[in-house]
Amino acid sequence: MAPSSKADKKAAVDAAAWTFNVVTSVGIIIVNKALMATYGFSFATTLTGLHFATTTLMTVILRWLGYIQPSHLPLPELLKFVLFANFSIVGMNVSLMWNSVGFYQIAKLSMIPVSCLLEVVLDKIRYSRDTKLSIGVVLLGVGVCTVTDVSVNTRGFIAAIIAVWSTSLQQYYVHFLQRKYSLSSFNLLGHTAPAQAGSLLLIGPFLDYWLTTKRIDQYNYNLASTIFIILSCTIAVGTNLSQFICIGRFTAVSFQVLGHMKTILVLVMGFFFFGKEGLNMQVVLGMIIAVIGMIWYGNASSKPGGKERRTHTLPTSRQPKHGGGLTDSTEHEGKV
């Protein structure tokens, strides 16, 4: 294949992966908001467990049909991933409960510099000046959009630190495991989703009761709420898969930076669905700044020297090749 056509194909697949992630992520936010606000289903941790249970069912069916080939992930690596991922989910829920919305948003924004630090320390990544500045512009723009009241307390601060570091480590590990063990996104989900589903469904009802003082077994289920729960679980399959695809093809930092486009889309769609209260000149200005930063980041990081690994290669554990499997390309030819 000619270099230009290969590059064009990669660009098309990259765009499709990002579009898939943005559509499913924004969709699940809107569905979950309706489920919780309209139907009072406030059991976020248990719902996430149901999401991973549905994702597990998808991977089992695809494996049975022969679309996912056998692969290996060492148990210690799996346990570390599940630990980071579950602390991320629990930490974000607790942080939202104990902190003001403004400080919660600041904590979410701080995942970008933490992810950068992990890549610099663990992967020996070097960022150019333009790449660093563009990340700063994105942080500024999203901060202007979303950060309002900011109040801090000790337990909320600790919960935020746990949430930020565990989420950053989980996203770093997605990229790390796919590279080290030559796993496709489907393979990695096949290993991690069952463990996350089991653990979250086990602790979820107790954690949700602690956070909301409501019991999931006493929730008044009806046809509409059940349909929304099923819809949420269905969309979550795409959200989980697209996250693994995007981080596998790029890095956790790129996923965080460009992923803030979802924040902007949620604000815009909230304006259309819920009225003009959420949209003002400050929010519009923040959106414009953030979009400029994202475009700048995409351009700066793709240039030679914009974001590169310094003479550091990761030892890989190659999986045996099988024909006919469902894979996603995880090319890293000099681009990180």
Side-chain angles (χ1 to χ4, degrees):
M1 183 183 296
S4 58
S5 60
K6 187 175 181 180
D8 291 343
K9 181 181 177 181
K10 185 180 186 304
V13 175
D14 289 347
W18 278 117
T19 302
F20 184 30
N21 180 255
V22 169
V23 170
T24 55
S25 297
V26 173
I28 201 169
I29 290 171
I30 293 173
V31 170
N32 286 352
K33 185 173 182 179
L35 179 61
M36 294 179 182
T38 306
Y39 299 103
F41 191 87
S42 55
F43 311 101
T45 309
T46 306
L47 181 62
T48 305
L50 293 173
H51 290 169
F52 282 106
T54 310
T55 303
T56 299
L57 179 61
M58 181 270 294
T59 60
V60 169
I61 293 173
L62 289 177
R63 185 175 290 112
W64 178 66
L65 293 174
Y67 289 110
I68 299 180
Q69 299 300 333
S71 60
H72 174 67
L73 180 64
L75 182 61
E77 300 278 35
L78 174 62
L79 292 177
K80 279 192 286 186
F81 179 90
V82 172
L83 183 68
F84 295 147
N86 287 358
F87 264 102
S88 168
I89 293 164
V90 173
M92 293 303 291
N93 288 341
V94 174
S95 176
L96 181 58
M97 182 184 74
W98 285 348
N99 291 310
S100 65
V101 174
F103 187 74
Y104 174 78
Q105 291 294 343
I106 289 176
K108 287 181 67 178
L109 289 175
S110 68
M111 291 176 193
I112 293 179
V114 170
S115 295
C116 288
L117 178 63
L118 289 174
E119 288 190 358
V120 169
V121 173
L122 300 178
D123 283 349
K124 310 302 180 188
I125 298 296
R126 180 175 58 201
Y127 295 91
S128 69
R129 180 179 61 88
D130 280 0
T131 303
K132 294 174 186 175
L133 289 174
S134 66
I135 291 174
V137 171
V138 173
L139 291 173
L140 174 64
V142 178
V144 170
C145 279
T146 60
V147 176
T148 51
D149 60 310
V150 178
S151 59
V152 186
N153 59 78
T154 302
R155 66 176 188 173
F157 184 73
I158 294 172
I161 289 176
I162 293 172
V164 167
W165 277 93
S166 57
T167 301
S168 300
L169 284 165
Q170 183 259 345
Q171 293 185 355
Y172 171 82
Y173 239 61
V174 170
H175 188 71
F176 171 83
L177 293 176
Q178 289 192 49
R179 283 188 297 138
K180 183 174 181 180
Y181 296 101
S182 300
L183 296 171
S184 71
S185 301
F186 292 94
N187 287 133
L188 187 56
L189 265 180
H191 290 292
T192 60
Q196 284 190 260
S199 54
L200 289 173
L201 289 176
L202 184 64
I203 66 172
F206 301 101
L207 181 65
D208 290 332
Y209 178 74
W210 177 54
L211 293 173
T212 66
T213 68
K214 297 178 182 178
R215 289 173 48 178
I216 192 169
D217 60 315
Q218 294 180 348
Y219 175 74
N220 184 26
Y221 295 91
N222 56 47
L223 179 61
S225 63
T226 303
I227 289 174
F228 269 87
I229 291 171
I230 294 172
L231 182 59
S232 177
C233 291
T234 303
I235 298 174
V237 174
T239 305
N240 291 333
L241 178 60
S242 62
Q243 182 195 46
F244 279 31
I245 291 175
C246 287
I247 297 177
R249 294 186 66 82
F250 306 99
T251 63
V253 172
S254 295
F255 182 76
Q256 283 283 345
V257 172
L258 300 179
H260 277 297
M261 179 59 72
K262 293 176 284 191
T263 304
I264 294 173
L265 287 175
V266 168
L267 290 171
V268 171
M269 295 186 75
F271 164 72
F272 285 113
F273 284 117
F274 304 109
K276 296 183 179 180
E277 308 84 53
L279 202 67
N280 52 47
M281 284 305 299
Q282 176 184 330
V283 173
V284 172
L285 176 63
M287 289 179 181
I288 294 172
I289 294 172
V291 170
I292 291 173
M294 291 174 198
I295 295 172
W296 188 9
Y297 174 83
N299 183 55
S301 62
S302 63
K303 287 181 177 179
K307 184 181 178 185
E308 61 186 9
R309 185 171 290 110
R310 293 173 291 180
T311 62
H312 172 74
T313 57
L314 184 71
T316 59
S317 299
R318 293 289 177 185
Q319 303 290 342
K321 296 286 185 179
H322 298 273
L326 192 61
T327 62
D328 54 271
S329 174
T330 52
E331 304 163 0
H332 306 282
E333 299 164 355
K335 181 177 178 180
V336 286

